[in-house]
Amino acid sequence: MDFSSALPTFIITLREGVEAALVVGIVLAYLKKAKQSHLNAWVYGGIAGGLVVSALVGILFGFVIQSLGSSNQKYAPVFEPLLEGVFSVAAIVMLSWMLVWMTQQARLLKGQVEGAIGATLKGDNAAGWGIFGLIFFAVLREGFETVLFIAAKFQQGLVPALGATAGIVSAIAIGFLLFRWGVKINLRAFFLVMGIFLLLIVGGLVVSALGHFDTAISTLAQMDRQSEGLCFYYERFTKFPSCVLGPMVWNTSKVLPDHQFPGVILHTLFGYEDKLYVVQAVSYVLFLLIIGGVYLKSVMGWKLNSTKAINAETSVGK
């Protein structure tokens, strides 16, 4: 069995799971400090609820995919790559947004969570439900992103789900190391490295999504003469034609095929294609420049603010 497709989901759920674990750890620590540990059960209930609903969303997505694929057998070859492309775009948007947002909000996370808990505890009777909702949506948000990513790669079977499970278990272990056993982990370095991995994974998803749309349009054009005009590159590029992706940039299928090791690792992690076209290459570079630029700017802003805070504390100490 090829487990290479489990690597991207492992990395994504590990990173997103650690974010959720930070929220859970902050909540539990605050409740202990406020002598409200009797509300811990609501925290664990929120975790369980978020995981269950995430799994249900995954099952629902799988049902929708199967239903659309079997609703019209004639166009089933078109629906499958089209759905993969649509889910890929959704995953690209969600993961990119979370990558940038979490980096910008990371230095404020503790204060925001503690402020939300403090406001919730003032509600007395509604405190338990408020804490449950805070944890539930934190876990669900991370789980939903993983579900979208797996849905974008649903043709790879259960292997991505195994990677997601391993990522969740690892994130829980890191949470225990941080909050239960007091082990110090450089979270800034962790999120920086995982963020770069995530950026490359989502960039690869951009390449894959365009490939899926090209396959869907090409298949439709071959099935329906009225749709032949959609493949506008066929008329201009007769050698190595693509339907909508333009001329070929490279063909490394004989040197480094993307379905054999080590090409399959590069394919599943970074979207490497042994046959790459102009539109895919340009889109990949633009994605890295735009989203990667915003991400690195956020990281540099985080470091700058942290340095200012340290300098301010040093000045006050003097």
Side-chain angles (χ1 to χ4, degrees):
M1 181 181 292
D2 180 15
F3 287 96
S4 59
S5 58
L7 292 175
T9 50
F10 171 78
I11 291 174
I12 288 174
T13 50
L14 176 60
R15 185 187 187 280
E16 307 299 330
V18 169
E19 291 179 12
L22 288 176
V23 175
V24 171
I26 291 170
V27 171
L28 290 174
Y30 187 93
L31 291 177
K32 182 178 180 180
K33 182 179 179 180
K35 297 181 180 180
Q36 299 289 330
S37 297
H38 63 281
L39 295 174
N40 286 358
W42 291 94
V43 175
Y44 302 133
I47 296 172
L51 291 175
V52 168
V53 174
S54 296
L56 291 176
V57 170
I59 294 172
L60 178 62
F61 272 29
F63 176 76
V64 170
I65 291 170
Q66 290 181 353
S67 298
L68 291 176
S70 60
S71 60
N72 193 327
Q73 292 296 328
K74 178 182 178 181
Y75 290 99
V78 177
F79 280 136
E80 182 172 330
L82 182 62
L83 285 173
E84 291 178 35
V86 170
F87 285 128
S88 294
V89 170
I92 290 166
V93 172
M94 286 292 296
L95 290 170
S96 299
W97 178 76
M98 280 305 302
L99 175 65
V100 175
W101 179 87
M102 183 59 191
T103 305
Q104 293 175 339
Q105 300 296 320
R107 62 182 180 273
L108 306 174
L109 181 63
K110 188 173 185 293
Q112 290 176 340
V113 173
E114 289 184 347
I117 302 169
T120 299
L121 291 179
K122 293 179 180 178
D124 294 329
N125 294 334
W129 283 109
I131 291 173
F132 174 88
L134 177 66
I135 299 299
F136 173 81
F137 286 109
V139 175
L140 179 61
R141 182 184 64 204
E142 316 303 345
F144 182 70
E145 292 167 8
T146 305
V147 167
L148 276 179
F149 186 82
I150 294 175
K153 297 178 173 292
F154 63 85
Q155 83 284 0
Q156 296 177 358
L158 294 176
V159 177
L162 295 176
T165 303
I168 292 172
V169 172
S170 300
I172 293 172
I174 291 176
F176 268 95
L177 288 174
L178 288 171
F179 295 101
R180 183 57 64 92
W181 295 309
V183 176
K184 291 185 178 180
I185 297 175
N186 191 333
L187 288 174
R188 187 180 304 168
F190 172 83
F191 280 118
L192 177 61
V193 172
M194 299 304 291
I196 293 173
F197 266 112
L198 183 58
L199 183 67
L200 294 173
I201 288 171
V202 179
L205 205 56
V206 171
V207 175
S208 299
L210 290 170
H212 294 319
F213 286 126
D214 180 75
T215 300
I217 296 173
S218 176
T219 304
L220 180 62
Q222 294 174 8
M223 296 173 61
D224 186 359
R225 290 186 177 181
Q226 295 180 350
S227 303
E228 289 180 352
L230 294 174
C231 293
F232 50 86
Y233 276 115
Y234 276 168
E235 300 176 0
R236 303 173 187 174
F237 302 99
T238 56
K239 188 176 182 180
F240 309 124
S242 165
C243 189
V244 296
L245 299 180
M248 185 178 290
V249 176
W250 69 53
N251 184 353
T252 56
S253 57
K254 295 182 179 180
V255 179
L256 188 63
D258 57 21
H259 60 280
Q260 295 178 3
F261 184 85
V264 67
I265 303 296
L266 298 175
H267 174 73
T268 54
L269 272 179
F270 309 124
Y272 163 76
E273 298 282 346
D274 54 21
K275 294 179 181 179
L276 187 72
Y277 296 88
V278 166
V279 174
Q280 290 174 309
V282 171
S283 300
Y284 182 80
V285 172
L286 287 177
F287 174 83
L288 291 184
L289 288 176
I290 296 173
I291 303 299
V294 174
Y295 171 66
L296 291 177
K297 184 178 179 181
S298 300
V299 171
M300 294 305 295
W302 184 9
K303 289 183 177 179
L304 181 61
N305 286 327
S306 299
T307 303
K308 288 181 178 179
I310 292 172
N311 291 336
E313 291 176 0
T314 304
S315 300
V316 172
K318 293 180 180 179

